[in-house]
Amino acid sequence: MTEEFFGHIIGNKEVPSANGETFGVLNPYTNEDYATAALGGEQDAAAAIAAARQAFDEGPWPRMGHAARTKIIYRLTELLRENLEEFAQAESRDMGMSSPGFGRGSLSWFSMRPGPLAGGGRGPRPELSNQSRNAGGA
């Protein structure tokens, strides 16, 4: 099997870590690495933050209206549907499932919730706040 490499996506490009460090991506079902990923550090984080800031300041998203953002999010949903089998295989491998378990129901649920992502609708749900997530004690 040819091992895949997953780099950082910074400035719309896949790049390795600035220091060249990597780590193995484990399939918990087989207990074997199936890929190598870039191990980010401070320099990678700074580059990602700078690229995100530039994209926000100079890109079209912050100037788009709710309808335009919603259209883009629905298109993303269509692309995921068109490539669902490949996506399901990748997610199943990453989660250690022996067969694809990523449900079409999950995709449908997310596709109907573009409001907060598109800049409209309700914001984050209180039950998913940091306090709620950390209630188990970490």
Side-chain angles (χ1 to χ4, degrees), residues 37-55:
L39 180 61
E42 284 186 42
Q43 195 173 354
D44 302 298
I49 291 166
R53 179 82 258 170
Q54 181 180 6

Side-chain angles (χ1 to χ4, degrees), residues 53-138:
R53 179 82 258 170
Q54 181 180 6
F56 185 81
D57 291 343
E58 299 172 17
W61 190 262
R63 287 169 282 293
M64 281 184 194
H66 177 75
R69 289 180 180 186
T70 299
K71 185 176 178 180
I72 289 170
I73 291 171
Y74 277 119
R75 178 62 183 135
L76 175 60
T77 301
E78 290 172 3
L79 290 169
L80 282 169
R81 284 184 203 277
E82 290 169 16
N83 297 283
L84 189 58
E85 184 61 32
E86 182 180 352
F87 187 72
Q89 291 286 342
E91 282 301 297
S92 295
R93 178 180 59 185
D94 198 45
M95 291 186 281
M97 299 169 70
S98 60
S99 62
F102 183 79
R104 284 155 184 78
S106 300
L107 185 58
S108 296
W109 188 86
F110 284 112
S111 73
M112 300 306 293
R113 302 209 29 92
L117 295 174
R122 295 184 337 185
R125 297 181 359 216
E127 67 270 23
L128 298 179
S129 70
N130 284 338
Q131 207 170 30
S132 298
R133 281 193 297 255
N134 294 330

